[in-house]
Amino acid sequence: MRETPRAEHPQPRPHRALAHTAGASCSGTPHRSDGRPPHTPRGARQPDPLGRPGTTPPVPGRPALFSALVALAVVTWQVLVHGPLARLDGRVSRSLVDTVPRSLSELASDLGNMTVALPVLGCAMAYAVWRGRRLAALYAGLAMVLVPLLVIPLKEWTARPGPLEPWAAGYYPSGHTATAMVAYFGAAFLVSNRLVPVAAVLTAVTGTGLVLRGFHWPLDVLASVALCLPLLRWPVYAARRGGPDRGPSGGAR
């Protein structure tokens, strides 16, 4: 008998381009045959302008800002009522004060002086203006202006005495920590994202020096960090979004 020929699978024609690469059906990432990027939201995802994860430089998202404000409220309440957290803060402070030479702790705490931190921010603002990023420089300057406007009323309201000066009042929150954080982080965001770790180190050194020298309680430093996170949100956002020094893809040249 004559065998019936088996049906052969159709072969792709050489003159027809494939719309998807091999394995695209399982990877979920189609590719155009002409090499152009896909016109789908997944193929051209942009960073969130509100500062959620994925932005560069890192901007505190809404959960982080909410957590910072909650922490500030809780710590302030504990300081006002002299609650368990404030009593623990006192014990920690007494165990840390003068555990290093005072010359070192004073040198570290001096990083939060306005005579040291403000020139750093001023130079960064001048650089940003020169690069055409005036809005970012303006927001960074406004953040620094807001520091005393927020810190001084809190100092007067809480009237917390100092670790080594129980007869004095006005230690909560730490103005030196707030000044250092806004100045150094603001300067880093205006100049280069690579300087952000340097700003974090300088702020941490400032707060540590204040605690070790006995100029502030640990909760004073923590409250200033929580207070400054919202202040840094819009300078960072402006540094990301605008300016003629940004390349076509949205990144800095």
Side-chain angles (χ1 to χ4, degrees):
M1 294 179 62
R2 187 177 180 179
E3 296 181 358
T4 304
R6 296 180 180 178
E8 297 182 356
H9 295 287
Q11 300 295 325
R13 299 180 182 178
H15 64 276
R16 297 185 63 182
L18 295 178
H20 296 75
T21 59
S25 60
C26 61
S27 64
T29 308
H31 300 274
R32 294 177 62 95
S33 60
D34 55 5
R36 290 181 294 174
H39 297 284
T40 59
R42 182 180 295 275
R45 183 174 295 173
Q46 301 294 329
D48 193 330
L50 293 179
R52 295 186 180 91
T55 59
T56 302
V59 188
R62 291 179 180 176
L65 293 178
F66 179 76
S67 300
L69 294 176
V70 170
L72 178 63
V74 170
V75 171
T76 303
W77 166 61
Q78 285 290 291
V79 168
L80 287 173
V81 301
H82 196 61
L85 191 60
R87 294 194 293 270
L88 175 62
D89 186 45
R91 292 193 295 269
V92 172
S93 178
R94 285 188 290 270
S95 66
L96 293 176
V97 171
D98 286 339
T99 54
V100 300
R102 288 193 172 187
S103 58
L104 293 179
S105 59
E106 288 179 359
L107 182 63
S109 61
D110 285 344
L111 292 174
N113 287 341
M114 287 191 175
T115 55
V116 177
L118 288 187
V120 174
L121 180 60
C123 291
M125 291 172 61
Y127 173 80
V129 171
W130 176 64
R131 295 295 299 270
R133 307 168 80 179
R134 297 179 181 85
L135 184 61
L138 175 62
Y139 280 147
L142 290 177
M144 181 57 70
V145 170
L146 287 174
V147 168
L149 296 180
L150 295 174
V151 169
I152 293 177
L154 278 174
K155 285 179 175 290
E156 295 180 352
W157 179 40
T158 56
R160 192 183 195 190
L164 300 180
E165 297 180 348
W167 59 88
Y171 281 80
Y172 177 92
S174 168
H176 279 64
T177 303
T179 299
M181 185 171 180
V182 172
Y184 298 135
F185 273 95
F189 293 139
L190 292 176
V191 176
S192 173
N193 302 339
R194 298 177 182 178
L195 296 176
V196 171
V198 178
V201 170
L202 292 176
T203 304
V205 169
T206 303
T208 303
L210 293 168
V211 172
L212 295 179
R213 179 59 180 85
F215 289 150
H216 277 286
W217 309 92
L219 286 184
D220 301 346
V221 174
L222 177 62
S224 292
V225 172
L227 179 66
C228 290
L229 281 177
L231 295 182
L232 289 170
R233 179 180 176 87
W234 290 112
V236 177
Y237 173 74
R240 292 185 53 246
R241 298 296 297 178
D245 56 323
R246 302 186 65 82
S249 61
R253 291 179 183 174

